[in-house]
Amino acid sequence: MSLEYRLHSRCACGSVLSSSEFAAASRPFTLAGTRRVYERSRPFTIRHIALDLTLDVEARSIRGTARLDAVRVDPGAREIALDAIGFDLEAVEISAGAGRAAKPRRGAGKAASGAFHPAEHTYDGETLRVAVPLDEAEASILVRYRATPRRGIYFLQPDEHVPDRPRQVWTQCQDEDARHIFPCIDKPHIKQTTELRAQVPPGWYCLSNGELESDARSQKEGVYHYRLDEPHPSYLFTLVAGEFARIDGAALDVPLAYFVPKGREEDGRRTFARTPDMIRHFSEKLGVKYPFRRYAQVVVSDFIFGGMENTTATTMYEHILLDERAALDISSDDLIAHELAHQWFGDLVTCRDWSHGWLNEGFATFMEHVYREHHLGADEYDHGLKADLDSYLGEARGRYRRPIVCQDYDAPLDVFDRHLYEKGGLVLHLLRRELGDELFWRGVSTYLTRHARGVVETRDLARALEDVSGKSLERFFEQWVFRAGHPELDVKIEIEGDQCTVTVKQAQAAGQPSREHALQPDASTPPAFAFDLVLDFGFTEGKGSITRREVRRVDQAAHTFVIPLPRRPRFVVVDPDLRILGEVRVDAPGDLLRAQLAHAPTARGRLLAAKPLSRRDDPPTARALGQSLSDANEFWGVRAAAAAALGALQSSAAFALLEGSAGVEHPKVRRAVAGALGNFRSAKAAEVLGKLALRDASYLVQAEAARALGATRQSSGFETLVDLLDRPSWGEVIRCGVIDGLANLRDERAVPHLTARTRYGVPTRGRRAAIMALPKLSSDRRTRELLEELLDQPDPYLRVDVARALGDLGDGRSRGALQRQLDRDLDGRVRRRIREVLRDLGGAGKRELDRLRDELEALRRDNAEIRARLGKLEAASTKPKKAADAK
């Protein structure tokens, strides 16, 4: 996603530093051999899990006792199957009938009714099957075990390459990794209450779900006891242990706590300051108060996601903490709001299975925008939605298209992508527009209240919204949720006299519909999407202006609408409220577009004019874009779009306007100017960018200027970039920008510098940037072998990027190394990416695509230069004629 919006990773969605896709065309989502996933049967359910865990930090292992209170569902079931991976079992016991008490009992390993005795069981290293007498409706199962988990729980310690890494232990159970820590039914449709007694090193703090019940003396000895009396699925279990500073707060009647590394208290207060306001706003908006007794957020090192919404106790990665300089133009509010929203969407109400995971992640993503709207206004809400649309479209164009609800995957994390998050959130925005605010929020409140503490699927949301509105939403969910793809529109606006002719042509690539919701048997000829095309016509009225709205229904591949008007409009805004979840290309007269940029009533309306104007290289357009860019009262997103449009024009007039704005006060606008200057391959552009890269007050402006400096292809920029390569910054953003700049420069002198930054000990984000940049500069054997050696690194995101880089190289000799890693890798994200690369290897690879893009860009530049010369010749040829006419 573009830097001006989001810089943080989400729950399971991967870092934004590796989110962009550049394939020539999207491929099928379903890989060869993939089987449809159905929800597992549940002959027994679990009512309560009580754990007693002792951490052996040095050995990276645990010793545990788990008591599971099971309740029979199937009268004929003879055994309960528990997920349990890699355990050394010491005892498996059962107390039949022990689960009859109405309230979960305290104390792991203590039967509430009857004595435990050895249980008949089998264990194959992955599934523990325990026999339950047929005449017993309930039973308690006691498992004593040891484990050295490969996933689920992570032990951090410093070493010679990373001496400042803290000693910590933390868990991450999503998607289905709780089974590595304790026996359970590791599926989201099983929800149980939990308690944990944990023995951690003395002096450490331990955080888990629910209420802390151990006294101060026990805590001093490293013994912590937590209890949560609200049911939740196993993937939301958490244990975090280490040395932290604590910051306390409150919102409504909810106690809040923020745990941060010692010495970062001020950054913690700055970062989490708006959490109380988020809790108040979400409680009011949703009509359901924050559903648990307390809420904590803990910041850990080397976390594998951006954040994780464990019930009552969210885990955050270290980059969420902002220093004063980072806070100039970076906010962690989106990530904080996202994980907080999960306490309602995911924790209180949980998706029945992962194919409906958008009910968790789509809602959490949408609630980010809802809080932005509350805190920063409607323009920020609209701009965030547009950024999410761009992010989804990037994945849909460059990787694959799939239905949001999709059962065809190998691992649940396969579907934690831009379709689940961004497109899911956008669908909720469309529903808000479809129903209006009052009915939409009433329907969401009904959905939450009706299914509180339970599990849901997509039809439950649809029914709640239909019940409060009386509207049929069947077609809506059919096309936006159960069908792959999106509309791709060409909209042409023609004004003749007192009427406007609007021509709409709709085309979209074929997409595979969801199995149960196929609109027609032949998916190769996808049907047209149906939606309302909204047009806002602006007219001059005295000294001001008025806007007239026209709405036309589009449900065919081609439409032509003739709209009578009182007079020629000043401007026409197409889709002003974002009701079309797709690509909309507008062709309109230049004067209308320039007036739209200047006078449309919303920032979104003005911003939409910038891209079509970027295709009109004429003096009035450059002036209009320059005026928008320089307007200090304009919303920053519009100014940034104007800068990008000027960069696309690549004219001398556009360069002069951008150069004059390089010192603009707003850092987000300044960053957009830097990015636009990268379109000019000139020494002057490199000079301006070099100054920004070396001295700007904003980390992100420096990073973008370095990236753009390389894009100018001026060899003089090499030394500047090398000097900046190890400059410290928040989240390694400067180093990442410099590495991208060196890759853009296409100077092979950068290869040893990038190679050195792929080594262990370099912060992970910098390593990942170097790995992705190497194929742009080198495709020799040494580069391939270096990347192959990195395939077994501990960080899953790094392994994903190594696989991508090998795919970019396009060298079929990497197949063996990739297949070996696939055979042993446990991470679903890594396995998915390796399988995609293995499928695609043998093609030209990224290097060839870069060459083709360079040739296309050169042709465009030549064309721009020819147009500029013709313009000068025409201007010169008119002067003698004017002089002669004067005589």
Side-chain angles (χ1 to χ4, degrees), residues 122-185:
T122 61
Y123 180 53
D124 62 3
E126 295 185 357
T127 305
L128 172 61
R129 300 180 184 276
V130 182
V132 180
L134 281 171
D135 58 349
E136 294 293 349
E138 303 180 7
S140 274
I141 297 167
L142 190 70
V143 183
R144 294 188 178 92
Y145 61 98
R146 294 177 180 270
T148 304
R150 295 177 62 189
R151 295 182 59 78
I153 187 167
Y154 301 85
F155 295 84
L156 273 60
Q157 297 188 52
D159 59 33
E160 61 177 328
H161 299 289
V162 190
D164 59 346
R165 179 186 290 130
R167 296 177 73 237
Q168 291 177 351
V169 178
W170 45 259
T171 59
Q172 172 52 44
C173 296
Q174 192 182 44
D175 53 356
E176 296 176 354
D177 285 348
R179 63 188 69 190
H180 294 267
I181 308 169
F182 57 93
C184 57
I185 299 178

Side-chain angles (χ1 to χ4, degrees), residues 684-705:
K684 185 63 176 174
E687 180 184 348
V688 176
L689 288 167
K691 293 177 181 178
L692 288 174
L694 289 167
R695 293 190 291 272
D696 199 90
S698 163
Y699 292 135
L700 298 189
V701 173
Q702 284 190 281
E704 190 63 23

